[in-house]
Amino acid sequence: MRPMKKEQKIKEKSKKNSKGVKTALMEEAAPFGLVEAFRNLSMNLGYALPKSKEDGARVICISSSIAGEGKSTISANLALSLANNGYKTMLVDCDMRKPQLRRVFQTDIEVGLVDYLSGNAAMEKVITKNIVNHLDCVFARRTAPNPIALIRSDRFKKMLDQFASEYDYVLIDTPPIDVVSDAVAIATQTDGIALITRQMQSNHALVRRAISEITFAGANFLGFVLNDLNLKKINGSYKKYKYKYGYKYKY
């Protein structure tokens, strides 16, 4: 079978799955506003974490205060945006309690992150290469009984160090901060953490508590990504997009 081109792959991923549910991935012919939002987000991440090639990859943790704010969807589409702009990108699903990225990309795997961290699989076996050009992924095939122990293991650090030396960007999707402590434990091992919030859904008190946990742990808080932005409430008019994303960064 001939390998699919990048454009074909993204189009294929955007189709309905076997249950008739449309995936959350950006389509190749996505509205300009959506594409531009992710392009600006990736640019702002570059500004927030200025690095030369000699410094290694920008390793970024992505989380939210609670579930349902869109962190996995944004992680996946940000990774696609970076890859489409020529950056060698690694996307890691570090939600070892309720992994989502494998479902987002509709990918079947035999071994995943937990298998590697548990010592049951080699690192090269858990990397899914070339999801699209310049994008590799590590998916979580199964859950772990004690994710914190795996996050603090030498194998986890070795994985991050290796990816940092091989890629331009390493994006790590994590569980919500106000649910479990995994995200903060991961964030302290990265260059910074971005917090996904959703308009009309995120709770201010929970967001403030998440920020407090990040700063108390000594992690680098990069700022917010505002998801599901309704521009009508800001400037009185907007084009109705299938997905609406906004972004706001604090430096």
Side-chain angles (χ1 to χ4, degrees), residues 208-219:
R208 285 194 296 268
R209 189 168 75 182
I211 295 170
S212 295
E213 292 186 32
I214 292 168
T215 54
F216 181 77

Side-chain angles (χ1 to χ4, degrees), residues 116-207:
Y116 162 71
L117 294 178
S118 301
N120 297 320
M123 186 181 301
E124 59 269 19
K125 295 294 185 182
V126 303
I127 299 174
T128 302
K129 294 279 191 179
N130 295 318
I131 295 290
V132 297
N133 289 340
H134 307 299
L135 175 60
D136 298 340
C137 293
V138 172
F139 297 110
R141 182 179 67 90
R142 58 189 178 90
T143 59
N146 188 4
I148 284 292
L150 298 179
I151 290 165
R152 292 174 175 164
S153 68
D154 290 339
R155 290 178 74 86
F156 188 83
K157 183 180 185 304
K158 178 184 176 183
M159 179 185 72
L160 291 188
D161 289 344
Q162 179 171 325
F163 291 164
S165 68
E166 296 178 352
Y167 294 87
D168 298 315
Y169 281 88
V170 180
L171 304 182
I172 304 175
D173 185 34
T174 66
I177 291 175
D178 287 327
V179 177
V180 290
S181 58
D182 302 16
V184 173
I186 294 169
T188 58
Q189 303 180 59
T190 68
D191 294 317
I193 179 170
L195 199 64
I196 309 302
T197 58
R198 186 185 289 273
Q199 188 179 27
M200 306 302 293
Q201 177 171 324
S202 296
N203 180 282
H204 288 184
L206 293 179
V207 170

